Amino acid sequence: MFINGEWILREDLEVINPYTLETIGSITSLSREETKEAIKIAEEHKPVMKNLPPSTRYSILMNIASEIQKNKEKLAKIISVDAGKPIRQSIIEVDRTIGTFKFAAFYAKELRGETIPLENGIILTKREPVGLIGAIAPFNFPLNLIAHKVAPAIATGNSLVLHPSAKAPMAAIELTKIIEKVLKNKNIPLGVFNLLTGMGDVVGDEIVKNDKINMVSFTGSVEVGESITKNAGFKKITLELGGNNPMIVLKDGDIKKAIKSCVKGKFLNSGQVCISVGRVLVEDEVADEFIKGVIEETKKLKVGNPLDRETDIGALITPESAERVENLINQSVEEGGKILYGGKREKSVIHPTIMEVNHDNILSKIEIFAPVLPIIRIKDMDEALRYVNNTKYGLHAGVFTNDINKAFKLADELEYGGVLINNSPTFRRDNMPFGGIKRSGMGREGIKYAVEEMSEIKTVIIKHAINK
């Protein structure tokens, strides 16, 4: 952990390579009292960040981006051995992280207010930082999803405590070293940024409940997100949670494009993506063609060591995660689901699996978070709408159709935070508004929108000294 510019190194928790199951390091596990002390230190540094000029925040963020660029290969390798992500995908994640910090640098200079006319005076608005942000990040994108919290927090002048997943903390540690170097070069007190490693039920829980925290920014499971809403008290919350993201393929759509988009969107990072394709609903007239194409395309994927540049499918984050998925596949079969391809588990690896199920099957209702693709035959668009809106989730939905009227109808009626026409739901750009509705989250990420979430509007009213 890194608190007030000091590294505290204890070998409390082992960090395991998900693919080899070898120990690759260890981290300090903070106690609740240590977490409270770190939060207190971060709170004391709120004025430091608030008073930094926008040009200084811009420079900090650009320098962080530059240092990440210099360490690109090292960071990508860390992501792969820490989270089991194929190295080609890890390199893309590092590139996105560089862009995320650059986006934030731009918006550090764009914190604008407005003027409102007033009789005998003027009303001004300005944006100010919320104060102290508690950022809690997941394992699946262990660098870029952290950047989506750290970068806008710096851009808006907030101090920060960062709690990465204990399952994949190594990228956060390397990023902290980079931030430490940049802050030192700028002669900025290091207590503005603090890395709090350890277990979520201690460190994360204290961040959520602590009254000194002004805002919690969380990415993770629906279950933890619901707990945060009950325990956070009177503070701002943004939650980026999961979903069972539907992809609707209508008979008038481009089936070949849908096949490629589906396979790419389902099996990216072994399905451990919150906007991964959750289930495909395909019109019966083109279902056979679609299923055949998806199987053929999936057969091209290579399962193997994440450090091999030919690998497409690596490991799930833990053997327990893989066992959970194996049990879900078996339950799905018991409920009438058919394995069309795959279904094999080796330690932490789930081989790409394609299944045909019905609307009542377990895989139609939950977030699988694994390389398992359920396919459901539907009669028409109206049937698809009925089923995909009848869920607690509402993150992303994808639609394939060449009928503009159907496209607009689905865009209007799908109850999701994002609707992607002629694309799988697995699409994100780092500066677009990103988030869900229902139990898939609240608030929005994407740098411009996170900047708005992490700042408050202050209204200043100025009356003329002399009445006319």
Side-chain angles (χ1 to χ4, degrees), residues 17-20 72-95 139-142 263-264 266-273 300-317 348-350 352 371:
N17 180 321
Y19 183 74
T20 66
K72 178 176 173 179
E73 291 294 327
K74 177 183 179 182
L75 285 163
K77 184 176 179 180
I78 287 171
I79 292 170
S80 290
V81 299
D82 200 19
K85 181 176 293 188
I87 188 69
R88 286 184 287 118
Q89 297 173 27
S90 296
I91 290 170
I92 292 171
E93 179 172 349
V94 179
D95 282 334
F139 68 82
N140 56 330
F141 285 82
V263 172
K264 181 179 179 181
K266 173 70 261 185
F267 299 115
L268 176 70
N269 195 22
S270 297
Q272 297 173 115
V273 184
K300 299 175 185 178
L301 300 177
K302 180 179 177 181
V303 179
N305 191 323
L307 292 177
D308 184 344
R309 290 184 180 264
E310 300 300 314
T311 294
D312 300 296
I313 304 291
L316 297 192
I317 192 62
S348 297
V349 176
I350 295 287

Side-chain angles (χ1 to χ4, degrees), residues 350-364:
I350 295 287
H351 286 247
T353 300
I354 300 166
M355 300 187 66
E356 185 170 344
V357 303
N358 59 35
H359 294 296
D360 295 325
N361 194 274
I362 182 64
L363 297 184
S364 302

Side-chain angles (χ1 to χ4, degrees), residues 187-315:
N187 293 316
I188 295 169
L190 299 178
V192 300
F193 178 88
N194 301 272
L195 176 69
L196 312 186
T197 54
M199 301 304 295
D201 57 358
V202 176
V203 180
D205 186 65
E206 182 58 37
I207 289 172
V208 169
K209 293 177 178 177
N210 196 293
D211 289 339
K212 290 182 171 62
I213 298 287
N214 301 112
M215 175 180 174
V216 173
S217 175
F218 171 80
T219 300
S221 71
V222 173
E223 291 74 22
V224 176
E226 289 180 331
S227 173
I228 289 172
T229 63
K230 296 173 183 176
N231 292 309
F234 207 67
K235 57 174 68 77
K236 293 186 77 172
I237 305 171
T238 57
L239 303 175
E240 199 278 279
L241 309 177
N244 186 327
N245 309 291
M247 177 172 152
I248 301 170
V249 181
L250 301 182
K251 61 186 178 183
D252 57 60
D254 185 330
I255 304 303
K256 290 183 179 179
K257 183 178 178 181
I259 289 167
K260 289 186 177 294
S261 182
C262 175
V263 172
K264 181 179 179 181
K266 173 70 261 185
F267 299 115
L268 176 70
N269 195 22
S270 297
Q272 297 173 115
V273 184
C274 62
I275 47 175
S276 176
V277 177
R279 63 202 189 280
V280 178
L281 299 94
V282 55
E283 277 196 291
D284 196 56
E285 292 179 43
V286 293
D288 289 340
E289 177 188 355
F290 179 83
I291 290 170
K292 180 182 177 183
V294 166
I295 293 173
E296 289 175 354
E297 196 70 19
T298 303
K299 286 180 178 179
K300 299 175 185 178
L301 300 177
K302 180 179 177 181
V303 179
N305 191 323
L307 292 177
D308 184 344
R309 290 184 180 264
E310 300 300 314
T311 294
D312 300 296
I313 304 291

Side-chain angles (χ1 to χ4, degrees), residues 142-160:
L143 187 64
N144 193 41
L145 289 184
I146 284 175
H148 271 280
K149 302 179 187 307
V150 171
I154 294 173
T156 46
N158 292 284
S159 63
L160 187 82

